[in-house]
Amino acid sequence: MSYFEECLRLGEWLSEADRRALYRYLLESNKENYKAQANLLLENSSLNKRIANGEVIYTLQSNQVTYKARKIGSVEFSSEMRKMQLMGIQLIDTQRLRKFFAQSDVDVIQNFPLPGENQESEGGICVDTYPYYTLAYYANGGNRIKGIIKKLRTNDKDILTKLRTL
């Protein structure tokens, strides 16, 4: 079993470093897929997809994209999990949506993993306060300069290598 497949089963048991590396891995490995999904969302104002044991619905209204998720087989979607304001320039919006999709995939994997050895808790939905694509994540909501420095010092190479290995 590859480390990526293991991540799909670990869910809430993934460490913060694993989730961050998973985000970077998904962003690079799904580049073309996310680009196609972004174009579909921009054209249709909605998009549904599945990852791990979760289903996601994206909605675009007034240049703001949001998403909700649920466990496959559940009746109701969660409340809005994240939102992002778009610029109205397709090239920029497509790049921003790729990051949004990668972040949402990590959020869904964390909350709705494939069945595995680890027992899922029956709590609510958990997402990081700040998405990985913002400097606010690295600065923990503080000074952006500190965020840039921390981002430059962050090293996910070992985990990324494990994810890239089949």
Side-chain angles (χ1 to χ4, degrees), residues 12-13 71 111 119-125:
E12 67 185 273
W13 301 102
K71 187 173 185 173
N111 288 288
Q119 194 153 0
E120 291 180 53
S121 64
E122 292 296 321
I125 292 189

Side-chain angles (χ1 to χ4, degrees), residues 108-162:
V108 171
I109 290 168
Q110 179 181 359
N111 288 288
F112 308 112
L114 292 173
E117 293 177 21
N118 295 325
Q119 194 153 0
E120 291 180 53
S121 64
E122 292 296 321
I125 292 189
C126 178
V127 295
D128 292 312
T129 303
Y130 303 106
Y132 302 126
Y133 52 81
T134 66
L135 290 177
Y137 166 76
Y138 293 94
N140 199 21
N143 185 314
R144 288 182 178 214
I145 293 172
K146 287 181 183 178
I148 291 170
I149 292 168
K150 187 173 179 191
K151 183 176 182 178
L152 292 172
R153 289 184 180 167
T154 301
N155 184 354
D156 296 326
K157 290 180 183 176
D158 293 340
I159 301 171
L160 282 170
T161 300
K162 282 173 52 176

